[in-house]
Every structure is written in C-alpha cells, then in structure tokens.
C-alpha cells in the first residue's frame, strides 16, 4: 500500500517484508566489529540501529563490503552523546562519524528526502529544519536510489527489513530504481552512472524500465558537478570492474557525455584499434586491482583520453603544426575540454600529459637521449603505456623490445652497446659528409 508521502511526485509502494535470520545469509561474522559495536550501543540506548545500503547488499551476494553504514532514529546529537570517538560532519545534512582508528562508521539519521536535488530544504544560516530532513525508516528507504541499496539489517533480531522489494531484486541480481526512473534520474543524473557501475561491480542486470530512460537522459549528466563525476570515474574504473563499466557506459549511451572527445574519436576509428587498446588497458587495470597492485588515476586518464589525444594531434598535424608543438597543444586542448565534464585535478592531468608526450621519445637511440628517458620519473608509466599501444598497432614492437631490454641492462653495458650501434651506423655512412654531431663535439671551449 502506498504510504502518504508529499515530497515525491511519484510515490513508490512501501510495504514491509521482514526476512528472518534463517532465510538470509548476512552473518555477524562478516560485519566489521566496529559497526557491530555501534549497532549494539544504539540498541542498548533504546534507539533503532540498522546496517544499511551497500554493505547489506554486498553481504547478500557474498561480497566483502568496503565500508559499513548505519542508519538510526537517533539524531546526530544523540549519537554524539553515545560515542566519545564521534564527530559530526556535513552542513546541509548532519552525519555522525564514529571513528575507530582507520575505520569510520557513518551513522545517518533516517531522513525523508534525496540528498542530491538542489533542495529548498535548507533554511537560513545553513541550519536545517529538522522535520524537513529527518524521517521514518520508510521514508529513508524510498529516498535511496536502487532497491538493492535500501535493505536494513536489524541488530534487534538479525532480520533484513525490506520496504521496496530489494531482497528479491538482489536474489535475482537486478538493479531497479525505486520509484519512477525518469523522475529519479532527473533528481540526480549521477544515478545513471551508479546503475552502470553497480551492475558492473555486482554482475547484475539493469532492469528494463530502469535502463530505458538512460540513453535519452544521458545529456543531463553534463550538468552534474565535475568533481563528483571525477570521483565516480575513479569508482567506475579503478575498483576492479573497469571493462564491464566501460561496456555498460557504451551500451547505454553515456560515453559521449562522460568522455565526449574520446567517444567521438572511438566512433571514427574504423579499424577499432583504439577501442582494442582501451579495453586491453582496462583489462590490465582490473588485473592489477585483483592482484592488489597500485593503480593510478593519471595512467587511467591517459588511457581513457588517448583516443581524444590521437585525434586532436592528427587534426593539428594536418594543419602543418610542427610535431612537438602539435603534441603539446593536443595534450592541453584535450585536458581543458575534458574539464568541462570531469574535473581531473592537476596533480593527475600533468603526469597524464607526460605519459602522452613521452611516447614520441621512444624512437630515439642516441646514448644521451636513451639515458635521459630511462631516468625520467614518468618513464615506467610511459613505457607501460607504449606496451599497451602494441595492442593497437604492431609497429611499436621494436621499440617495446628495445626499451624492455634497456631497462634490464646495467648502465655500462647499455652504453657500450649504444656506442657500438652508432659506430656500425657510421661505417655504413662513411661516404657521407661529416655530420653535425661530430663537428659540434670538437667545438673549442672558448666558442
Ligand atoms: P559502493 O560503496 O559499493 O560504491 P554503495 O551503494 O554503498 O556502493 P555509497 O555511495 O557508499 O554507495 O552510498 C551508500 C548508500 O547511500 C547507497 O547504498 C544508497 O542507499 C544511498 N545513496 C548513495 N548515493 C545515492 C544517490 N545518488 N541517490 C540516492 N541514494 C543514494
Ligand atoms: Mg558504500
């Protein structure tokens, strides 16, 4: 039966289903002991305490949640009084963070409204009118995005409380928006990315009515805060499911909004070489995450924006811009244009550009240049990137082989080898006039 909510123009049906402990697999053994401590203390103080959101969902599919969120009917101030190690954060919406060393348990009071719409819920001086914000557990459930994200694990009886059909959706591996999909996407377009990301992460299907509006509403995403989109990109591509995320973005028409210039370049690359390379790079990224090796946003964006860079570079070269200058300009242009949608911080865009610009230096075999490149702080990343380019075009095979060996050799051995190669070349060219390089070397000190 629909509850009486006046805040949504499409009110989803809310009816409680309680799944008892013996009918679900959420076990206290899998819940962080700090989260349990918070839940028990809330209960002992007479408040409701639930584990909620991604953690319940992940536990139901046998995953390991990376963080544990708690929902309660206690106000943030009441929570603060219960925990010495508690700080209140947020201006528009106060949240309690209970801090246990490196683990933070986020404790949120049930609330009625979406936290993402540009709200009229804020009153003077940033203080909130409590009745507008705090709500019942039912209201808290329907302001969440997907049914799978709206399950509550009760510390009272260890049951899972389901108000919107999320339990069956998790069991059937389905991402379904709560309420009317179009309305929910308009409230917060980032939910489109969350649908793709969570489906990719969990191996879920996006339910047809939830998927249907995405292609049409995709352009709304461009109005979301670029800083938030950057954070979403990191979650999409650096959490171990980058390939699936990319395919999902592609399938649902979100790529042209998120990465407009790369999407255009991929579309016009008939051979498909750029796409192959991109997917190979994302596959490597997933592998690294699985192996718990470090991954970097700079390398990731070098990869994601490489199609855009190649295309822009080709356009500039067609206008007869000199090679080095064209590279610099292409790198800058692609970076600046991308900032319109995704706010890539400078500390990442700079190394990203270096990875691109170093690519043109792998052809050099002069001793000095070889050693300078090997010593470059971005050499390793740039070399990994070059290896990836091999998937797109076999022409890089010689360079990859040369630089792989060069890294492995002791410096003096490499130096001797480069000298020998140079002399061999000189022998072939004995008939040619003396070269500048020699003349310069004999230049008198006084000039
Ligand atoms: P993960 O942590 O695996 O990325 P999550 O579902 O836990 O996934 P969070 O961003 O941690 O994602 O959000 C926690 C919970 O807050 C979600 O499970 C959902 O219930 C709610 N939520 C998050 N973002 C939104 C949103 N844009 N609209 C509505 N509810 C949201
Ligand atoms: Mg989470």
């Amino acid at each position: 039966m629909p509850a009486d909510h006046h805040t949504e123009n499409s009110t989803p049906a809310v009816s409680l289903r309680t799944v008892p402990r013996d009918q679900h697999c959420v076990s206290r053994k899998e819940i962080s002991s700090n989260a349990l401590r918070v839940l028990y203390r809330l209960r002992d103080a007479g408040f409701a305490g639930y584990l909620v959101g991604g953690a319940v969902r992940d536990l139901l599919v046998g995953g390991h949640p990376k963080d544990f969120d708690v929902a309660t009917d206690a106000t943030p101030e009441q929570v603060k009084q219960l925990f010495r190690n508690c700080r209140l954060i947020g201006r528009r919406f106060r949240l309690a963070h209970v801090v246990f060393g490196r683990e933070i348990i986020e404790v949120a009071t049930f609330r009625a409204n979406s936290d993402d719409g540009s709200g009229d819920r804020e009153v003077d001086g940033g203080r909130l009118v409590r009745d507008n914000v705090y709500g019942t557990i039912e209201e808290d459930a329907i302001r969440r995005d997907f049914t799978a994200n709206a399950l509550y694990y009760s510390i009272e009886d260890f049951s899972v409380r389901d108000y919107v059909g999320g339990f069956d959706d998790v069991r059937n591996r389905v991402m379904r928006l709560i309420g009317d999909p179009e309305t929910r996407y308009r409230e917060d377009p980032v939910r489109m990315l969350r649908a793709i990301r969570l489906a990719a992460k969990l191996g879920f299907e996006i339910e047809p009515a939830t998927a249907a509006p995405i292609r049409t509403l995709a352009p709304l995403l461009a109005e979301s805060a670029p800083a938030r989109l950057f954070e979403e990109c990191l979650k999409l591509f650096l959490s171990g499911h980058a390939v699936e995320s990319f395919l999902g973005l592609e399938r649902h028409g979100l790529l042209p909004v998120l990465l407009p210039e790369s999407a255009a370049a991929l579309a016009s690359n008939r051979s498909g070489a750029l796409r192959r390379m991109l997917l190979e790079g994302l596959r490597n990224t997933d592998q690294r995450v699985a192996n718990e090796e470090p991954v970097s946003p700079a390398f990731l964006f070098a990869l994601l924006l490489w199609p855009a860079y190649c295309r822009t570079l080709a356009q500039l070269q067609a206008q007869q811009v000199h090679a080095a200058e064209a590279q610099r300009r292409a790198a800058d242009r692609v970076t600046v244009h991308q900032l319109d949608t995704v706010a890539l911080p400078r500390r990442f865009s700079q190394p990203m550009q270096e990875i691109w610009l170093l690519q043109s230096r792998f052809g050099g075999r002069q001793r000095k240049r070889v050693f300078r490149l090997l010593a470059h702080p971005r050499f390793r990343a740039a070399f990994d990137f070059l290896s990836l380019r091999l998937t797109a075009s076999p022409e890089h095979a010689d360079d990859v082989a040369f630089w792989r060996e060069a890294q492995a050799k002791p410096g003096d051995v490499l130096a001797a080898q480069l000298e020998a190669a140079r002399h061999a070349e000189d022998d072939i060219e004995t008939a040619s006039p003396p070269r500048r390089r020699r003349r310069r070397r004999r230049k008198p000190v006084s000039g």
Side-chain angles (χ1 to χ4, degrees):
M1 236 224 293
D4 179 25
H5 295 293
H6 34 267
T7 49
E8 302 276 346
N9 42 15
S10 64
T11 306
V14 180
S15 63
L16 172 62
R17 168 181 177 195
T18 302
V19 185
R21 174 63 190 96
D22 59 357
Q23 285 172 37
H24 67 72
C25 65
V26 177
S27 154
R28 271 170 293 163
K29 279 199 234 71
E30 304 292 325
I31 301 174
S32 121
S33 57
N34 294 323
L36 288 173
R37 212 166 287 162
V38 170
L39 290 169
Y40 285 132
R41 177 123 13 131
L42 285 167
R43 182 198 61 183
D44 294 345
F47 296 111
Y50 297 92
L51 190 67
V52 67
V56 182
R57 176 201 69 209
D58 290 354
L59 289 171
L60 282 173
V61 298
H64 301 283
K66 57 179 171 16
D67 43 42
F68 293 87
D69 296 337
V70 166
T72 180
D73 58 0
T75 65
E77 289 73 18
Q78 288 169 324
V79 175
K80 187 164 172 60
Q81 284 174 357
L82 287 179
F83 299 95
R84 228 173 358 98
N85 48 334
C86 175
R87 41 169 211 250
L88 299 186
I89 60 145
R91 271 184 306 131
R92 278 186 61 196
F93 296 107
R94 306 207 86 191
L95 286 174
H97 275 181
V98 187
V99 184
F100 299 90
R102 289 180 58 197
E103 188 179 19
I104 294 178
I105 306 297
E106 190 172 287
V107 183
T109 307
F110 297 142
R111 56 177 200 249
N113 289 307
S114 141
D115 53 351
D116 306 291
S118 55
D120 48 7
R121 294 154 201 144
E122 197 169 304
V123 297
D124 276 352
R127 261 197 63 82
L128 302 162
V129 174
R130 173 182 287 201
D131 286 354
N132 262 355
V133 177
Y134 301 137
T136 61
I137 186 169
E138 289 87 352
E139 288 171 315
D140 191 76
I142 59 162
R143 61 114 188 148
R144 293 177 184 273
D145 46 7
F146 300 96
T147 59
N149 287 348
L151 293 167
Y152 298 75
Y153 170 85
S154 163
I155 203 64
E156 199 63 58
D157 58 5
F158 314 122
S159 66
V160 170
R161 312 268 171 105
D162 177 6
Y163 295 90
V164 290
F167 192 81
D168 283 343
D169 282 341
V170 171
R171 204 162 45 192
N172 298 325
R173 308 188 84 80
V174 163
M175 295 303 301
R176 183 195 309 274
L177 268 174
I178 299 169
D180 172 56
E182 179 160 345
T183 309
R184 301 307 309 278
Y185 289 136
R186 287 189 184 280
E187 274 173 14
D188 178 14
V190 172
R191 288 175 183 149
M192 294 188 271
L193 291 182
R194 289 178 53 85
I196 307 296
R197 171 167 75 79
L198 293 170
K201 164 181 159 161
L202 301 161
F204 280 22
E205 288 295 323
I206 305 177
E207 176 266 333
T210 298
I214 296 182
R215 188 170 293 277
T216 318
L217 299 181
L220 295 179
L221 203 56
E223 288 156 30
S224 301
R228 189 163 170 225
L229 291 183
F230 173 69
E231 292 303 322
E232 272 302 314
C233 279
L234 298 187
K235 290 189 190 173
L236 279 160
F237 296 112
L238 296 183
S239 312
H241 47 78
V243 171
E244 283 307 314
S245 291
F246 181 83
L247 297 177
L249 293 172
E250 223 181 20
R251 193 174 325 121
H252 294 279
L254 287 167
L255 213 51
V257 188
L258 201 59
L259 305 167
E261 295 195 351
S262 270
L266 288 170
S268 65
N269 178 232
R270 293 229 182 81
S271 70
L274 287 171
R275 186 172 179 277
R276 266 203 310 284
M277 172 189 160
L278 194 65
L279 284 172
E280 180 62 18
L282 296 177
R283 214 168 287 132
N284 290 353
T285 307
D286 287 344
Q287 197 58 57
R288 291 182 68 93
V289 174
N291 298 340
E292 294 181 21
E293 293 170 89
V295 288
S296 91
F299 194 89
L300 170 70
F301 276 87
L303 185 63
L304 292 175
L305 298 179
W306 177 250
Y309 172 76
C310 289
R311 190 163 186 246
T312 308
L313 184 59
Q315 286 163 351
L316 288 167
Q317 281 168 341
Q319 295 160 18
Q320 317 297 326
V321 180
H322 177 266
E325 175 63 14
Q327 289 163 19
R328 258 193 310 278
R329 270 203 240 165
D332 280 336
R333 200 174 288 180
V334 169
T335 308
V336 169
H337 288 182
Q338 184 61 47
L339 290 179
D340 283 345
T341 42
V342 178
L344 179 61
R346 236 188 107 69
R347 68 178 185 284
F348 300 129
S349 65
Q350 198 171 331
M352 168 189 81
Q353 293 191 346
E354 281 177 333
I355 290 172
W356 290 340
L357 297 179
L358 286 176
Q359 297 305 308
S360 63
R361 286 168 55 182
F362 284 115
R365 294 292 182 272
Q366 255 184 9
R367 194 180 67 157
K368 234 201 257 166
R369 292 192 182 177
V370 167
F371 279 96
R372 213 184 291 145
L373 188 48
L374 281 170
H376 194 286
R378 218 63 67 192
F379 169 78
R380 186 66 221 191
F383 172 74
D384 287 347
F385 200 83
L386 176 72
S387 311
L388 215 47
R389 294 173 63 203
L390 199 50
T391 14
S393 33
E395 77 206 51
H396 302 298
D398 285 350
D399 285 346
V400 170
F402 172 83
W403 290 96
R404 179 170 294 131
E405 280 174 35
Q407 292 169 75
K409 274 184 192 138
D412 49 347
V413 177
L414 178 61
Q417 184 195 326
L418 291 170
E419 275 308 302
R422 186 172 69 87
H423 287 308
E425 231 174 75
D426 284 354
D427 288 343
I428 298 166
E429 292 172 16
T430 37
S432 59
R435 291 193 292 172
R436 274 187 69 213
R437 190 174 56 208
R438 293 204 183 158
R439 244 186 280 144
R440 216 189 312 153
R441 205 176 284 158
R442 285 199 210 104
K443 209 160 60 176
V445 193
S446 58

